[in-house]
Amino acid sequence: MPHARLTLDPDFTVGPVPRRLFGSFAEHMGRCVYTGIFEPDHPTADADGLRQDVLELTREVGPTVVRYPGGNFVSGYDWEDGVGPRDARPRRLDRAWRTIETNQFGLDEFATWAEKVGTEVMMAVNLGTRGMQEACDLLEYANHASGTRLSDLRRSHGRRDPYGFRLWCLGNEMDGPWQTGHKTAHEYGRLAAETARAMRTVDPGIELVACGSSSRAMPTFGEWERVVLEHTYADVDFISAHAYYEEKDTGDDTYGDFLASAKDMDAFIEEVVATADAVRARGRHTKHIGISFDEWNVWYQTRWQSSDRANARTAWDVAPRVIEDAYTVTDAVVVGTLLNSLLRHGDRVAVGCQAQLVNVIGLLRSEEGGPAWKQTIAHPFEQMRRRATGEILDVRTTGDQVSTQRFDDVDLVDAAATWDAGARLGDSGEGVLTLFLANRSEDEAADVEVPLRAFSGDLRVADAQVLAAGEGQDRHTANTLEAPDAVGLRPLRDVSVADGTARATLPPLSWAVVQLATARG
Ligand code: AHR
């Protein structure tokens, strides 16, 4: 049986858990907005046309920040089209996804939705077809109090108080040749720096994200970050990173590679940090640039690339079904390891946005006029968002490893952990240790051993939950319209503390959360 030993010490920390790590993303794409979060004719719709079933599930999953309105969509978007009286809003071609944008949902509707969810808004500006002036106009509309054309326009739309959005993306994936208004690193770096400076004159309190690479596999990766940060270092707070993973159907060890995707994410983060720190040293800067990992997920991209819409063989539709991947047990385990990677790097990754929230590679699914449900991947996301509190621990894992086609030294058990010295669970004393674990072995259970000698107080098992294929299921089982709760969490029974060591047995191909709390003194 595979075995792993985790070495932890409450004094060896990475840093506090950044709450913005557990964000998501809502793009005007496919059915994320229309028939996802907004569907005025839906039986659960409220007076604002927002689906309350989706709202309720979103509150449960609880993204701490949601990026909007794109994505590739934003690079051709005129934000003014989406504000003001609905019957005067134009229908437009969205060239990014070859759809019709009705503009029935826009900035004010999104702000209303975010308030109802209780989440922070992360707004993106269009640096594809537009520039500095339009970015400043949008910021003035959103954040300026009153007494100017655009702030008074917002007030005339029923929004008296400024929104005070703090987090702003300077465009989207400008390194990608598919991006409307794609630029070289120098062109983008100059534009991003000028836009950042102009936007800060409108609102000095904002935090700004420059576009990094749209994937680690981009030929420009590394050099793009260096050049963009040479231009923008003093003017931005974060550089973005995007990554999507899939099990490819190429016949090599793609299954093993897929399960090891977090190794790629680890390397990606560490390489962006190294590049940013090199620019810091060269420029004699004092601050550190953080990473906004503002798109990440499992996405079966090769399926999308062969689709009619991607190949422009379909008509222009309103809110068509686009990349509605149905996530399996395997995908949930991989997403759990990606969350672990983000958490392990929480000293430098300040923002994380799982992409996307509903229907489009979604945490959630919804049917027009029908129900909404959680995909398998929503479970590790929700659990980590709820339970990762306090300090991130520097976890050292030793034990069984495998090599895949792409990666050497892949731990069969992937782990991350937090320690919250002031927290209680139920009637426990103060101090909660939380372990996030994934067993990558498809056919063998794995033993995990955690010596607790560094923790003062008597730690006991307070809760342990696992996600794995159940009776009659396999690694391909997904949550569907017919069986929306097929895959979820169940109690993990094989967990105990004895002789100062915690032990757990993880079922094959599983994701688990184990919480140990200090006994009441
Ligand atoms: O999330 C889907 C798309 O993936 C986004 O629009 C784009 O930024 C990325 O390539």
Side-chain angles (χ1 to χ4, degrees), residues 25 27 29 67 70-73 97 172-173 178-179 214 242 244 295 299 301 323 355-356 360-361:
F25 174 35
E27 176 167 8
M29 176 178 178
R67 182 169 174 251
N72 296 343
F73 171 79
W97 301 110
N172 176 69
E173 292 190 351
W178 59 85
Q179 199 69 211
S214 48
H242 292 178
Y244 292 104
E295 285 187 36
W299 172 8
Q301 251 174 319
I323 60 169
Q356 301 186 7
V360 178
I361 46 174

Side-chain angles (χ1 to χ4, degrees), residues 328-344:
T328 65
V329 170
T330 314
D331 299 327
V333 173
V334 170
V335 161
T337 62
L338 298 176
L339 285 160
N340 279 353
S341 172
L342 293 171
L343 189 62
R344 285 191 294 260

Side-chain angles (χ1 to χ4, degrees), residues 202-221:
V202 177
D203 182 348
I206 57 176
E207 296 167 73
L208 290 167
V209 184
C211 290
S213 290
S214 48
S215 110
R216 184 172 174 238
M218 290 297 288
T220 47
F221 170 57

Side-chain angles (χ1 to χ4, degrees), residues 171-504:
N172 176 69
E173 292 190 351
M174 300 308 300
D175 64 321
W178 59 85
Q179 199 69 211
T180 307
H182 164 232
K183 293 174 175 48
T184 66
H186 281 289
E187 289 166 349
Y188 171 70
R190 285 267 302 128
L191 177 61
E194 294 296 344
T195 305
R197 287 196 281 270
M199 287 176 76
R200 283 198 201 281
T201 63
V202 177
D203 182 348
I206 57 176
E207 296 167 73
L208 290 167
V209 184
C211 290
S213 290
S214 48
S215 110
R216 184 172 174 238
M218 290 297 288
T220 47
F221 170 57
E223 183 63 357
W224 173 275
E225 279 75 4
R226 184 189 71 75
V227 173
V228 167
L229 285 174
E230 295 282 1
H231 285 287
T232 59
Y233 202 99
D235 301 302
V236 303
D237 303 284
F238 310 109
I239 183 132
S240 72
H242 292 178
Y244 292 104
Y245 299 99
E246 67 179 318
E247 184 181 347
K248 293 204 173 94
D249 194 14
T250 55
D252 302 328
D253 182 22
T254 54
Y255 176 60
D257 286 343
F258 179 50
L259 283 171
S261 298
K263 291 277 280 187
D264 181 84
M265 190 182 244
D266 287 340
F268 192 2
I269 293 168
E270 286 155 24
E271 289 159 0
V272 174
V273 165
T275 308
D277 288 351
V279 177
R280 173 176 183 263
R282 234 171 78 87
R284 309 286 191 270
H285 301 285
T286 50
K287 74 175 184 191
H288 284 97
I289 292 286
I291 296 178
S292 173
F293 217 119
D294 47 42
E295 285 187 36
W296 67 267
N297 201 355
V298 171
W299 172 8
Y300 288 85
Q301 251 174 319
T302 35
R303 284 183 211 157
W304 156 249
Q305 276 147 10
S306 61
S307 72
D308 283 351
R309 187 161 298 279
N311 291 296
R313 290 188 295 256
T314 52
W316 298 82
D317 303 315
V318 175
R321 288 182 189 270
V322 178
I323 60 169
E324 298 195 0
D325 289 350
Y327 291 117
T328 65
V329 170
T330 314
D331 299 327
V333 173
V334 170
V335 161
T337 62
L338 298 176
L339 285 160
N340 279 353
S341 172
L342 293 171
L343 189 62
R344 285 191 294 260
H345 295 93
D347 54 336
R348 295 302 291 268
V349 182
V351 181
C353 299
Q354 171 280 340
Q356 301 186 7
L357 182 69
V358 199
N359 292 328
V360 178
I361 46 174
L363 288 175
L364 307 177
R365 282 292 311 274
S366 67
E367 283 300 322
E368 185 174 0
W373 65 95
K374 288 179 191 171
Q375 295 236 56
T376 61
I377 60 170
H379 293 290
F381 182 95
E382 177 176 340
Q383 293 306 314
M384 191 181 271
R385 192 275 301 164
R386 287 180 188 273
R387 301 188 197 223
T389 61
E391 294 287 323
I392 304 163
L393 295 181
D394 184 4
V395 182
R396 298 299 158 102
T397 304
T398 52
D400 289 295
Q401 294 186 320
V402 287
S403 291
T404 71
Q405 180 95 352
R406 279 188 62 201
F407 306 103
D408 291 328
D409 307 329
V410 181
D411 291 325
L412 270 174
V413 173
D414 185 76
T418 57
W419 168 247
D420 194 336
R424 295 172 189 271
L425 277 180
D427 64 355
S428 77
E430 284 189 347
V432 176
L433 172 64
T434 305
L435 310 172
F436 302 97
L437 307 166
N439 177 9
R440 289 177 164 127
S441 170
E442 190 183 358
D443 29 55
E444 285 190 278
D447 266 344
V448 184
E449 184 189 358
V450 190
L452 300 171
R453 59 177 179 269
F455 295 84
S456 60
D458 184 12
L459 283 173
R460 310 228 173 126
V461 179
D463 193 17
Q465 302 286 328
V466 66
L467 182 153
E471 278 287 308
Q473 300 181 339
D474 62 23
R475 74 179 188 89
H476 301 291
T477 305
N479 291 344
T480 60
L481 176 62
E482 294 73 30
D485 302 316
V487 180
L489 297 175
R490 59 174 193 262
L492 177 66
R493 306 243 176 257
D494 295 331
V495 51
S496 58
V497 177
D499 304 327
T501 298
R503 289 188 177 80

